[in-house]
Amino acid sequence: QVQLVESGGGLVQPGGSLRLSCAAPGSIFSIATMGWYRQAPGKQRDLIAQVTRVGDTNYADSVKGRFTISRYNAKNTVYLQMDSLKPEDTAVYYCRFYRIYFAYWGQGNQAPVSS
């Protein structure tokens, strides 16, 4: 069973910043595309940021210019830097490592944005 370890969630005020991290086994990290998803209360889980194994990134329009996804190969970890947070960013955030023949999810981290 492959386990992804997420950390970094927590309450933040509007306009603030938060950094999420997701660590994976090296055998998975080196070959997978990695995505950050979020699920707001009562809504579906959506992909918001993605980075390929060679470092190409892609963002949802709702977070473009505010969120940054990055890979730190030496630690087998992917980060999501979230800046200029808004109340509508409140969600549970999940990481996912995947290729066409496998997909693994992190446990999820709550990130409420509220004053």
Side-chain angles (χ1 to χ4, degrees):
Q1 181 74 13
V2 173
Q3 187 172 9
L4 307 182
V5 180
E6 290 190 44
S7 62
L11 178 64
V12 62
Q13 292 186 341
S17 297
L18 204 60
R19 189 177 78 160
L20 305 179
S21 64
C22 179
S27 58
I28 300 298
F29 184 90
S30 61
I31 64 172
T33 291
M34 190 278 170
W36 283 101
Y37 294 69
R38 69 183 181 187
Q39 187 167 18
K43 296 190 176 181
Q44 66 181 22
R45 190 177 300 185
D46 292 323
L47 176 66
I48 57 169
Q50 177 178 286
V51 60
T52 68
R53 61 188 181 94
V54 296
D56 296 327
T57 59
N58 196 24
Y59 298 92
D61 288 342
S62 59
V63 305
K64 199 173 294 183
R66 300 187 298 121
F67 291 11
T68 303
I69 189 171
S70 59
R71 300 176 70 118
Y72 188 13
N73 294 337
K75 290 192 173 182
N76 296 332
T77 299
V78 178
Y79 299 98
L80 184 68
Q81 177 68 38
M82 305 188 291
D83 299 317
S84 301
L85 283 161
K86 306 174 183 179
E88 52 264 43
D89 294 318
T90 294
V92 179
Y93 286 76
Y94 299 89
C95 62
R96 179 175 180 246
F97 279 77
Y98 52 95
R99 288 289 298 270
I100 192 169
Y101 47 87
F102 69 79
Y104 303 107
W105 289 92
Q107 80 275 14
N109 263 308
Q110 299 237 4
V113 182
S114 174
S115 55

